[in-house]
Amino acid sequence: MKLRFYLLIFTILASVSFFDPGHRLDGPIGKLLFYMSVVTCLFVALKDGVSLRGVRYPRWAYAFIIGGIAVSVLMASAFHMQTFTESVTTTMPYMLAYLMFFVLMRFDIPTERLMKAYMVLCACASVVYFINLATMPFNIFGRPMFDADDARGILRLPLVFVEFFPVILFYAINRWLLDGKFKWLFLAGGTSLMIVLSVIRQVIGLSALLGLWFILKRANTKIRIGIIALVVAFGLFVLPRIPMYQAMMELTEKQADDNTEEEDIRITAWRYYTYDNQTNTLSSILGNGMPALGVSRWGIIMDAETLDQGVFWVDVGWAGFYWLFGAFSTIGLLALIFTAIFRRKPPQEQFLTYSLIFYFVTSFASGPPVIYWQIVGIMVVLYMVYRKKDNAPENDTQQISSNSNNTEYAGDRPHYPQL
């Protein structure tokens, strides 16, 4: 178990080039480390992993995803100016990232252990953020940023593992609603601070809405009234006085004004990837494949065209995923996520529902399904839903038992409600 756990942590860190110290691990070296770690994980999963016989998850949906990505390699070489080798090479990180779901299912790592690892990784990412803030523009981790964006009231610095922070937020809310301990509010507050510092508006807004929905849906009436009053007071008297909020609102209004004369760039991108730039009818079903940007003839053309029009598949994740890997892969990924969202979960795992809703919604205007290091995060959350429950750790069972009569948390309900 320890070997499998440490291999997973190594793989997650390799997916972000170990925070890229001194900008020395980005590019081919970082990808090579990721490839080697995933291949090692696959070998260990097949050799020593647990059997998946009897484990319930939509196998057909996962087969659609993996099969669709594999077929897209052939599509890229058959219909575009790109060699088979170039197509395989450029598709490799995405195939390996989605294969991590199979690896995780075979690794069978307890949910609580994964969440503790998430907390440590997010703590490291927070330290990296503040180190880079102190060393701007010559960032110690990642690329130097001589053209930093401060249009949102503060410097917009990359927050590594930004997709992990909402998961930690929902987990902290979940645990606080279960046992009422102050440490979970402290964790939720620290995580919320980092989400705000990311200055990614949809991450901030959706995390706040889903977190509030989680609390109001699960808490008792007294807590609901207190939370609503606090939110209203904060929204009316505190939020409008925060310079960062004012800057982001001004930026949003400016973009809205610009879109009255020209179509919103993300709507243009959605149309570009779902209709305008489809090669033929077959590509809309099986995908166009991944262009080797800046390398193959097709990749050079795509690079210039998307840069000129400002349409990037990482800005429209679902549309980009559909264009790259086709309808079957898209149906498979949606089925895997929606089945997980509506699957019944024990009390201590309700946070997974909100995490998956977060991933699904943010993928309309950002790139989780088509950014390989964020794909790994999605696979981890999906695994925690589908993993073998008969191997749950003892403290999980004790948690359920100790809270089965928790009337403060249940409110007016006789049992823990399902979404």
Side-chain angles (χ1 to χ4, degrees):
M1 176 67 76
K2 284 186 177 181
L3 173 62
R4 298 199 291 260
F5 175 74
Y6 290 125
L7 276 175
L8 174 62
I9 300 305
F10 185 91
T11 302
I12 292 173
L13 288 170
S15 71
V16 295
S17 301
F18 295 90
F19 300 109
D20 192 18
H23 192 41
R24 297 180 182 276
L25 296 180
D26 194 17
I29 297 177
K31 284 188 177 180
L32 180 61
L33 289 171
F34 178 65
Y35 297 169
M36 292 172 61
S37 61
V38 176
V39 170
T40 303
C41 286
L42 281 167
F43 175 78
V44 173
L46 291 170
K47 184 177 182 295
D48 299 321
V50 302
S51 171
L52 298 184
R53 184 175 299 175
V55 180
R56 292 174 49 247
Y57 70 95
R59 285 172 166 79
W60 67 267
Y62 189 58
F64 271 21
I65 298 170
I66 300 302
I69 295 173
V71 170
S72 74
V73 173
L74 303 176
M75 294 293 293
S77 298
F79 293 102
H80 301 286
M81 296 170 286
Q82 186 162 283
T83 67
F84 181 74
T85 301
E86 290 170 335
S87 299
V88 170
T89 302
T90 196
T91 307
M92 187 67 69
Y94 305 92
M95 174 64 84
L96 292 176
Y98 279 104
L99 282 173
M100 284 303 297
F101 176 75
F102 171 78
V103 167
L104 284 156
M105 293 293 286
R106 298 273 295 191
F107 274 12
D108 193 36
I109 299 170
T111 297
E112 284 301 310
R113 195 169 189 185
L114 284 174
M115 292 311 302
K116 289 177 182 178
Y118 259 34
M119 291 180 214
V120 173
L121 290 171
C122 286
C124 293
S126 301
V127 172
V128 166
Y129 174 91
F130 286 111
I131 289 175
N132 281 346
L133 183 64
T135 58
M136 275 288 294
F138 304 98
N139 294 352
I140 291 180
F141 298 93
R143 301 178 182 179
M145 297 184 65
F146 297 104
D147 54 348
D149 178 11
D150 60 355
R152 304 176 190 220
I154 63 172
L155 288 174
R156 185 178 183 179
L157 296 178
L159 177 61
V160 184
F161 297 134
V162 65
E163 71 279 6
F164 287 6
F165 283 87
V167 180
I168 297 295
L169 173 63
F170 304 141
Y171 174 77
I173 292 172
N174 200 156
R175 296 303 298 266
W176 174 68
L177 290 171
L178 281 171
D179 60 33
K181 293 182 179 178
F182 179 78
K183 67 178 181 179
W184 302 119
L185 289 180
F186 180 79
L187 177 61
T191 306
S192 299
L193 173 63
M194 296 310 301
I195 290 173
V196 170
L197 291 177
S198 75
V199 295
I200 303 175
R201 286 168 292 177
Q202 62 174 316
V203 173
I204 297 171
L206 192 57
S207 297
L209 287 174
L210 288 175
L212 185 61
W213 178 27
F214 195 177
I215 294 172
L216 295 179
K217 193 173 181 67
R218 310 298 182 184
N220 60 40
T221 304
K222 187 181 297 185
I223 292 178
R224 289 176 186 168
I225 294 173
I227 292 292
I228 292 173
L230 184 63
V231 169
V232 171
F234 182 79
L236 289 176
F237 303 110
V238 179
L239 198 59
R241 300 176 183 274
I242 300 175
M244 186 174 68
Y245 173 80
Q246 295 171 356
M248 284 196 286
M249 288 302 298
E250 289 173 2
L251 178 62
T252 302
E253 291 171 2
K254 180 180 181 302
Q255 291 175 340
D257 291 339
D258 293 341
N259 291 334
T260 58
E261 299 180 1
E262 297 182 5
E263 185 178 61
D264 184 88
I265 191 62
R266 278 188 168 84
I267 295 176
T268 303
W270 262 86
R271 189 173 64 250
Y272 179 85
Y273 287 110
T274 56
Y275 180 75
D276 290 349
N277 198 38
Q278 288 293 347
T279 305
N280 49 44
T281 303
L282 191 60
S283 72
S284 65
I285 300 172
L286 301 180
N288 289 273
M290 181 70 67
L293 298 176
V295 177
S296 67
R297 291 178 62 189
W298 179 41
I300 292 171
I301 293 171
M302 276 293 300
D303 206 7
E305 187 172 314
T306 55
L307 185 62
D308 178 63
Q309 297 187 36
V311 288
F312 307 102
W313 59 65
V314 294
D315 288 338
V316 284
W318 285 118
F321 186 87
Y322 166 70
W323 184 83
L324 291 167
F325 305 124
F328 284 108
S329 287
T330 306
I331 291 169
L333 184 55
L334 286 171
L336 200 64
I337 290 175
F338 271 96
T339 303
I341 287 174
F342 290 103
R343 189 168 187 163
R344 292 180 65 86
K345 304 173 185 69
Q348 76 278 8
E349 293 185 1
Q350 290 296 305
F351 73 96
L352 297 172
T353 296
Y354 296 86
S355 301
L356 288 168
I357 293 173
F358 173 85
Y359 281 130
F360 169 72
V361 176
T362 55
S363 295
F364 282 93
S366 63
V370 290
I371 300 175
Y372 70 88
W373 57 87
Q374 294 193 16
I375 293 168
V376 174
I378 299 174
M379 296 302 103
V380 171
V381 175
L382 285 169
Y383 155 73
M384 287 192 282
V385 174
Y386 291 118
R387 66 180 289 265
K388 293 177 68 173
K389 302 305 178 185
D390 57 343
N391 287 344
E394 184 178 355
N395 62 341
D396 281 1
T397 306
Q398 292 173 348
Q399 184 71 55
I400 296 173
S401 176
S402 64
N403 288 285
S404 59
N405 297 316
N406 190 343
T407 55
E408 179 184 1
Y409 178 68
D412 301 327
R413 302 176 178 85
H415 64 281
Y416 196 100
Q418 302 292 328
L419 181 66

